[in-house]
Amino acid sequence: MIDYRTADPKKLMEAIPYCRHLGIVAAVEGGSLLLTMPFAQHLIGNPVLPALHGGVIGSLLETAAIAQVIFETRGARLPKPVDITVDYLRSGRAVDSYARARIARQGKRVVNVHAEMWQEDEAKPVANLRGHFLIS
Amino acid sequence: MSDAPEWLKHAKQHMNLTPYLAGISGEIMDIGTPARARVPYSEKLIGDPETGVVHGGVITGLLDHTSGLAVMVKLREPMPIATLDLRIDYMRPAKPHQDIIAECECVRVTHEVAFVRGTAHQGDANDPIALCTGAFMIIRGGVHGIPVTPA
């Protein structure tokens, strides 16, 4: 059992099998979480370029959004995604990736979250996400 | 319906070897309209350890992959494509221990952009887990990543 009200973000990532599969790790940095996804061969979607799979990028962003919501709202349950939109700005290269999210608006039942992913340079984002999540 | 162009007919095996797809044990089912792919339930896909529900990212990944395939079906010759954006509406959590199937259709191809609609379900397309809408850039004259000869 995970207590989302007190869970340490680092342990939370380790407790979620799909995050473990992608190799996502979390650290608290200032008031927000920084997620790191070290490059690994199984994250590749296009071996010729090579480039990360778009689904991997979406997965990292959605994880960043969920983790930030847990970290800030400390509800009893895992936030449930309602909808997400991912904009792909650049090709995700075969290097380490980072993501951060912020809550744009928190209501009683739903939160609007923005997340961003980058690689070497935070000023050159690879992709961003907007999404709504149900909380309780 | 298999309306796949000739160049794509040998691509299925190669595309099943895409590291991300292979890593989640996903596979392409149909290269046609709609394009279909599936991912069997497994422990490593879980996003909610208490309920065993798969992570939303798995559904995003499968829909992204299948959407790209749906675009390729509409291209007469091989050329690279890149996802511009993808919107996913999560209708309901995926039931644990059941396959997830994505069905996507490219509804329009212009010179530079292709538009896709898709559904993820668990056997009944009328009871979807998620819906998706995507736009893809078509990079004419670019170097394509998919071998067009038999694997």
Side-chain angles (χ1 to χ4, degrees):
Chain A
M1 272 292 274
I2 303 168
D3 189 347
Y4 295 107
R5 288 164 299 190
T6 55
D8 167 47
K10 193 168 167 263
K11 294 209 174 100
L12 186 66
M13 290 300 114
E14 287 163 10
I16 299 174
Y18 185 62
C19 296
R20 247 181 5 243
H21 173 69
L22 298 179
I24 298 173
V25 290
V28 182
E29 208 198 60
S32 70
L33 296 178
L34 174 68
L35 268 63
T36 302
M37 183 178 69
F39 173 71
Q41 192 56 38
H42 71 285
L43 306 179
I44 289 287
N46 182 331
V48 173
L49 288 176
L52 296 183
H53 196 284
V56 168
I57 293 171
S59 297
L60 175 61
L61 285 165
E62 188 175 322
T63 301
I66 289 173
Q68 187 65 30
V69 173
I70 293 170
F71 185 64
E72 275 188 59
T73 67
R74 291 297 184 184
R77 278 188 308 202
L78 202 59
K80 250 171 51 185
V82 177
D83 58 50
I84 58 160
T85 302
V86 181
D87 288 332
Y88 295 89
L89 310 174
R90 293 180 171 81
S91 172
R93 293 179 307 110
V95 297
D96 297 353
S97 303
Y98 307 92
R100 215 196 299 276
R102 65 177 183 88
I103 293 179
R105 163 92 176 119
Q106 183 181 341
K108 233 187 241 163
R109 291 283 294 136
V110 70
V111 283
N112 178 286
V113 190
H114 294 196
E116 200 157 72
M117 174 204 147
W118 69 95
Q119 293 185 318
E120 271 122 357
D121 184 357
E122 191 167 357
K124 289 182 178 164
V126 169
N128 60 49
L129 168 148
R130 281 174 301 117
H132 292 102
F133 296 82
L134 285 175
I135 51 168
S136 56
Chain B
M1 184 173 79
S2 185
D3 52 353
E6 198 57 43
W7 69 269
L8 200 53
K9 289 195 173 145
H10 298 300
K12 190 167 169 177
Q13 269 175 289
H14 291 291
M15 291 178 78
N16 278 331
L17 297 176
T18 301
Y20 170 69
L21 192 69
I24 60 169
S25 306
E27 60 164 351
I28 290 160
M29 299 163 75
D30 299 310
I31 298 180
T33 303
R36 293 168 79 228
R38 68 184 266 277
V39 59
Y41 183 78
S42 72
E43 200 267 342
K44 68 183 165 207
L45 306 182
I46 293 172
D48 184 342
E50 262 140 59
T51 59
V53 169
V54 301
H55 195 288
V58 176
I59 295 158
T60 304
L62 190 67
L63 283 168
D64 180 60
H65 199 84
T66 314
S67 294
L69 183 62
V71 174
M72 290 181 207
V73 168
K74 300 290 184 193
L75 301 177
R76 275 189 215 102
E77 52 194 276
M79 54 190 94
I81 59 169
T83 316
L84 279 178
D85 61 42
L86 194 65
R87 178 192 164 107
I88 315 274
D89 291 303
Y90 294 103
M91 304 283 108
R92 63 167 176 86
K95 290 184 195 109
H97 308 289
Q98 290 185 17
D99 290 4
I100 295 169
I101 297 160
E103 287 186 25
C104 297
E105 187 173 340
C106 178
V107 290
R108 172 98 179 135
V109 183
T110 69
H111 189 70
E112 261 138 5
V113 183
F115 301 91
V116 176
R117 295 281 183 279
T119 308
H121 61 83
Q122 293 186 294
D124 177 3
N126 294 317
D127 183 23
I129 313 164
L131 305 177
C132 83
T133 306
F136 288 77
M137 196 76 203
I138 297 166
I139 305 150
R140 291 183 194 272
V143 179
H144 199 269
I146 297 164
V148 293
T149 51

